Amino acid sequence: MYSTATNPMMSYYPTTQFQNDFTQGRYTYNDVPYPRQQKPTTTDVEIPTTRRKSCTRSFCCPCCMCFPYWMRCICCFFLLLFMAAAGLTAFVATQFKVPSVDFYGLTDHPSGLPKYNKTNETTFDINVGLRIGVVNPNMAGVSFEKIEATAYYPTAPTRSIGGGELNNLVINSHGTTNFTFPFHVEFDASKDEEQNMLLDISQRCGLTGGEQKDLVVNYMLTPTIRIIGFPISAVIKDTVQVPCPPLGM
C-alpha cells in the first residue's frame, strides 16, 4: 500500500503510481486508499423508490395516455361500449335475411277516395289500394320511416303519372305483416304529346273495338328506414294492373 502520511491531500487523492497500478488490474476498487471517514457506506447512498403500478392503471394505458387516470377510465368505458355495439350490429347484419314481399291484388283506396274520378275532358284519375304482405324471418322487427311509390306508364317510362306514400310502417319479427298501400294514377291526355299513352289506353279499354284488358302501370317503390339517425333506402321495381274506367265516364 502507498503511504499518505507525508501529504494530507494524498488522503483524498491516490498517487499517479497507484492510478497506473489500478488501471493495470493490480488493485480493485476496494483497495483505493480513501480515509476511513470518506469511505462510502450504504447509508450514504440515496436509493430511489418507485410506486408499484396497479393492474387497473395498466389496463387503461392504451386509452389516451396523456390524460389523468380517471379520464382514461372514462375513455376505456366508452371504447368498450362502442366495441360491444359494433359487435352486436355485426352479428345482426350477418344473421339478417331479406324479407319477401307478396302482392295480393287491388282493393279500395284506404282513404276512401273514389276508384274513378274524371276531373276534366282530358284527365281522369284511378285511386286504388295495393294489398301487400311482407314476410320477415328475422328475429328483429323493421320500422319503415316512409314508403314512397312512383308510377310510370309503359309508353312514357320517364314521366311520372302518380304514386303514393305510407309513413311509419312497422314490420313484425318472425311473421307476416299485411298492409294496404294507397296508389293514385292520373291520366292526362294533354301531357301526352305523341298520344302514345292515349292510344294504348283506348286499345286496352276496348274503345277501338278490341277486347277489353287491364291497364299496365309500372311503379318504383322506395322504402326508407333510419338506423342511428341515418336514412337508408332501397328501390323495388314492379308492375300492377288496374282495371279500365267505365266507358260512360
Side-chain angles (χ1 to χ4, degrees), residues 168-181:
N168 301 323
L169 177 65
V170 178
I171 305 299
N172 300 324
S173 61
H174 291 297
T176 302
T177 302
N178 299 320
F179 62 94
T180 301
F181 187 84

Side-chain angles (χ1 to χ4, degrees), residues 100-144:
S100 60
V101 180
D102 299 324
F103 178 66
Y104 299 137
L106 301 178
T107 185
D108 295 335
H109 195 278
S111 299
L113 298 178
K115 189 172 185 179
Y116 303 102
N117 182 33
K118 186 176 181 180
T119 57
N120 53 51
E121 294 299 327
T122 60
T123 305
F124 68 91
D125 301 338
I126 299 180
N127 301 298
V128 294
L130 306 181
R131 296 172 56 236
I132 299 176
V134 179
V135 181
N136 183 16
N138 300 290
M139 63 179 179
V142 180
S143 178
F144 290 96

Side-chain angles (χ1 to χ4, degrees), residues 21-238:
D21 295 341
F22 181 80
T23 56
Q24 294 177 6
R26 299 177 182 177
Y27 298 95
T28 63
Y29 179 80
N30 294 329
D31 294 327
V32 177
Y34 284 108
R36 182 180 301 274
Q37 64 273 19
Q38 296 295 329
K39 210 168 188 181
T41 61
T42 56
T43 58
D44 298 330
V45 179
E46 182 179 357
I47 302 176
T49 59
T50 58
R51 179 180 296 180
R52 180 179 298 177
K53 294 184 178 180
S54 63
C55 295
T56 57
R57 291 180 178 271
S58 301
F59 178 74
C60 288
C61 283
C63 303
C64 304
M65 299 179 62
C66 59
F67 289 167
Y69 173 69
W70 63 271
M71 190 173 294
R72 282 183 287 166
C73 290
I74 296 177
C75 169
C76 283
F77 171 77
F78 284 105
L79 178 62
L80 294 177
L81 186 64
F82 173 78
M83 294 175 62
L88 181 60
T89 303
F91 174 77
V92 173
T94 55
Q95 300 297 321
F96 181 78
K97 298 179 181 179
V98 179
S100 60
V101 180
D102 299 324
F103 178 66
Y104 299 137
L106 301 178
T107 185
D108 295 335
H109 195 278
S111 299
L113 298 178
K115 189 172 185 179
Y116 303 102
N117 182 33
K118 186 176 181 180
T119 57
N120 53 51
E121 294 299 327
T122 60
T123 305
F124 68 91
D125 301 338
I126 299 180
N127 301 298
V128 294
L130 306 181
R131 296 172 56 236
I132 299 176
V134 179
V135 181
N136 183 16
N138 300 290
M139 63 179 179
V142 180
S143 178
F144 290 96
E145 182 180 25
K146 64 178 178 179
I147 301 177
E148 293 180 328
T150 306
Y152 303 92
Y153 202 75
T155 59
T158 59
R159 182 169 63 87
S160 172
I161 60 171
E165 183 175 333
L166 184 64
N167 297 320
N168 301 323
L169 177 65
V170 178
I171 305 299
N172 300 324
S173 61
H174 291 297
T176 302
T177 302
N178 299 320
F179 62 94
T180 301
F181 187 84
F183 199 69
H184 167 80
V185 179
E186 179 184 76
F187 295 96
D188 189 354
S190 63
K191 297 181 180 179
D192 187 15
E193 298 178 356
E194 298 180 357
Q195 303 297 315
N196 292 331
M197 183 172 62
L198 180 60
L199 178 60
D200 186 77
I201 293 175
S202 300
Q203 292 176 351
R204 287 183 171 274
C205 294
L207 299 179
T208 58
E211 182 182 358
Q212 187 175 6
K213 301 178 182 179
D214 290 339
L215 301 177
V216 177
V217 178
N218 301 327
Y219 68 89
M220 183 173 62
L221 201 66
T222 307
T224 301
I225 61 176
R226 189 173 293 273
I227 300 178
I228 319 178
F230 296 96
I232 299 177
S233 301
V235 176
I236 301 174
K237 296 182 179 181
D238 206 342

